Amino acid sequence: MYKHVALLVRKDGMSHDEFVDYWQNNHTPIARDIEGVTRYQTVLPTDPENAEFDGLAELYFDDLDDLHEALGSPGSRDYDPTKEVAAEARDDVDNFLDVQERPRVIGEEIIQKDETDGDTTDLYKHSAFLVRQDGMSHEEFVDYWQNNHTPIAREIEGVVRYATVLPTDPENAEFDGIAELYFEDKDALYDALGSEGSRDYDPDRGKAKEAREDVDNFLALEKRPRFIGQETVQKDES
């Protein structure tokens, strides 16, 4: 499936709590009915004061053209849909989001491991928005990530679901990919991957330690935003 991930930044003058209230109670009922959306999930930060963003909105489509028509394409953070609900959602965005400060990724999701049967509500998720090292092409990055790092990462202690997202248009994408690791236990996530407030982390054992050491072979860690949150599936017809 194709996926649009928006890294949400609230408008100036709005508190995080006000943002969440509007997003969940006003915008989400519109967004889940956008034409072509087959699955919609929201992710709220576990530690809002130290999170890099106010939340994640993730919308899935079976057809990439439907996604572009509803939410725009890489290369711009703004968009101008023509279909009824998509247009209503775009108009509503201006009530709570700073669109120009809101990164986004459009990509194809690959499920690398899943012990959840797709039911991710209430799970804790670490989303890493990946940036390749200087001197490495996007293709070299993807090859190393998928074939060297992923076999380690999916065996990190406590991981119950692991997905990677590859951009559909790498030349215009804001990131080289997304790595999404799900845990049932928040403390297990923090132990393996660190907590909000720093892009670096230092696990002391097992596959988590091996994965952290391998990160230095392909990622520009200091340029890699990340988000730790709890997920809610708002719609699933996938």
Side-chain angles (χ1 to χ4, degrees):
M1 283 192 294
Y2 299 101
K3 179 174 179 175
H4 179 282
V5 181
L7 294 74
L8 306 182
V9 178
R10 67 184 184 268
K11 288 178 62 171
D12 285 343
M14 176 177 275
S15 71
H16 174 75
D17 290 341
E18 290 170 335
F19 162 86
V20 170
D21 180 68
Y22 191 94
W23 175 31
Q24 298 289 290
N25 296 311
N26 295 73
H27 187 74
T28 287
I30 304 170
R32 62 183 167 219
D33 289 332
I34 289 172
E35 295 83 357
V37 169
T38 58
R39 180 179 169 106
Y40 173 48
Q41 57 207 29
T42 59
V43 190
L44 295 175
T46 55
D47 182 7
E49 290 188 5
N50 291 304
E52 296 196 48
F53 305 97
D54 288 287
L56 303 181
E58 306 184 354
L59 295 99
Y60 292 76
F61 296 75
D62 290 330
D63 185 86
L64 185 58
D65 288 337
D66 287 345
L67 188 160
H68 288 323
E69 188 172 355
L71 298 170
S73 57
S76 172
R77 292 181 177 180
D78 210 343
Y79 56 106
D80 187 21
T82 57
K83 289 185 178 179
E84 182 179 358
V85 181
E88 182 183 357
R90 173 61 192 90
D91 289 342
D92 188 58
V93 156
D94 291 330
N95 292 319
F96 70 112
L97 285 186
D98 187 336
V99 175
Q100 298 306 319
E101 296 296 326
R102 180 215 62 173
R104 63 177 184 159
V105 181
I106 295 171
E108 188 167 10
E109 183 179 77
I110 303 169
I111 305 299
Q112 306 286 354
K113 174 180 182 176
D114 190 7
E115 298 174 356
T116 72
D117 292 325
D119 183 8
T120 57
T121 289
D122 294 333
L123 293 182
Y124 296 96
K125 179 163 74 170
H126 179 282
S127 298
F129 297 89
L130 307 181
V131 178
R132 67 184 184 269
Q133 289 186 352
D134 289 343
M136 178 178 274
S137 70
H138 174 75
E139 290 73 20
E140 290 170 335
F141 163 86
V142 169
D143 180 68
Y144 190 94
W145 176 30
Q146 298 288 290
N147 297 310
N148 295 73
H149 187 75
T150 287
I152 304 170
R154 65 181 166 223
E155 300 304 323
I156 290 173
E157 295 78 4
V159 170
V160 295
R161 179 180 168 97
Y162 174 47
T164 58
V165 183
L166 298 176
T168 55
D169 182 5
E171 290 188 7
N172 290 304
E174 299 198 44
F175 303 103
D176 289 286
I178 312 173
E180 302 175 334
L181 294 99
Y182 289 81
F183 296 74
E184 292 180 343
D185 183 81
K186 181 172 63 175
D187 289 337
L189 188 161
Y190 287 160
D191 188 49
L193 298 170
S195 58
E196 298 281 13
S198 171
R199 292 183 178 181
D200 209 344
Y201 55 107
D202 188 25
D204 60 7
R205 63 187 181 278
K207 288 294 183 179
K209 180 177 175 62
E210 184 180 350
R212 172 61 191 89
E213 291 170 349
D214 188 59
V215 156
D216 291 330
N217 292 319
F218 69 112
L219 286 186
L221 199 63
E222 73 284 355
K223 297 180 181 178
R224 179 214 65 170
R226 65 174 184 160
F227 188 86
I228 298 171
Q230 191 169 23
E231 184 163 289
T232 300
V233 178
Q234 305 285 354
K235 174 182 181 176
D236 189 5
E237 296 177 353
S238 58

